[in-house]
Amino acid sequence: STPIIFFYGTSMENTSINDTVRPVGPPQDLVLEGERLFNEGQVDAAREIFQAAVEQCPGNALAWNNLAVIATTVNDDKLAEKCLHQALEVKSDFKEARFNLVEIYGLRQDWRKAIRELRSILSVNPADFRAIKRLAKIYFDLGQEDKAREVLAGCSDMGAMKSFIDSLWLGIKY
């Protein structure tokens, strides 16, 4: 199955970009143009635009992430992983790139690497519910219920959700 991978950091709302494909202009404009083309199903044109963005500005983590999204859509997870690592080299706290790596590692069933990426997200933001939930699910699916419980118990910012999870856990455990 195709992983759920995310474009990150731009919005197509309130933008007026010429409808023609022109890989010129500031890298942020290229990223917007590439996203527009991708959303219209013009994957090859979007790839060219994102490639132009990283050539103009190799430090454009967003363009690297979006190249990874495109690589994933054409089932090239090795290229996607390489692009995501490049995005993280530029911006180590780029959370969506880490989540995208988690999805790629999940497809490969490389749970050790997926766990490492989720732990990295949680080291920056210990209350990231999305990362907590995904990490607990991986541990649960691996039959490591105690580790799943430990991850869920470690989140103090869950408030009312914590009591729900506690009762759910009791139902699973017994």
Side-chain angles (χ1 to χ4, degrees), residues 65-102:
N65 182 74
N66 293 350
L67 279 170
V69 171
I70 288 176
T72 303
T73 65
V74 296
N75 297 317
D76 190 345
D77 66 316
K78 289 185 190 304
L79 177 60
E81 181 181 17
K82 179 181 171 191
C83 290
L84 290 167
H85 283 293
Q86 187 64 41
L88 290 167
E89 186 175 309
V90 170
K91 186 174 178 354
S92 64
D93 64 342
F94 191 178
K95 184 168 63 170
E96 291 307 322
R98 290 208 185 275
F99 273 116
N100 288 341
L101 275 173
V102 169

Side-chain angles (χ1 to χ4, degrees), residues 34-35 46 50 63 77 83 92 99 107 109 131 134 154 157 166-167 169:
E35 289 181 1
F50 293 134
D77 66 316
C83 290
S92 64
F99 273 116
L107 282 176
Q109 297 185 357
R134 183 72 167 111
D157 287 353
D166 286 343
S167 55
W169 181 257

Side-chain angles (χ1 to χ4, degrees), residues 4-39:
I4 300 169
I5 312 221
F6 303 94
F7 282 128
Y8 175 79
T10 62
S11 170
M12 294 307 293
E13 294 178 21
N14 301 322
T15 58
S16 57
I17 298 174
N18 189 336
D19 286 346
T20 61
V21 177
R22 293 178 295 114
V24 296
Q28 66 272 20
D29 290 348
L30 292 176
V31 170
L32 286 171
E33 178 70 3
E35 289 181 1
R36 182 187 68 77
L37 291 167
F38 181 83
N39 289 330

Side-chain angles (χ1 to χ4, degrees), residues 136-137 139-140 144-153 169:
K137 180 168 179 4
Y139 281 136
F140 186 77
Q144 299 176 17
E145 291 88 1
D146 290 339
K147 283 189 177 184
R149 176 75 171 138
E150 186 179 303
V151 168
L152 293 172
W169 181 257

Side-chain angles (χ1 to χ4, degrees), residues 120-133:
S120 181
I121 292 167
L122 291 171
S123 73
V124 174
N125 183 1
D128 188 302
F129 186 66
R130 184 173 154 208
I132 290 167
K133 187 172 88 172

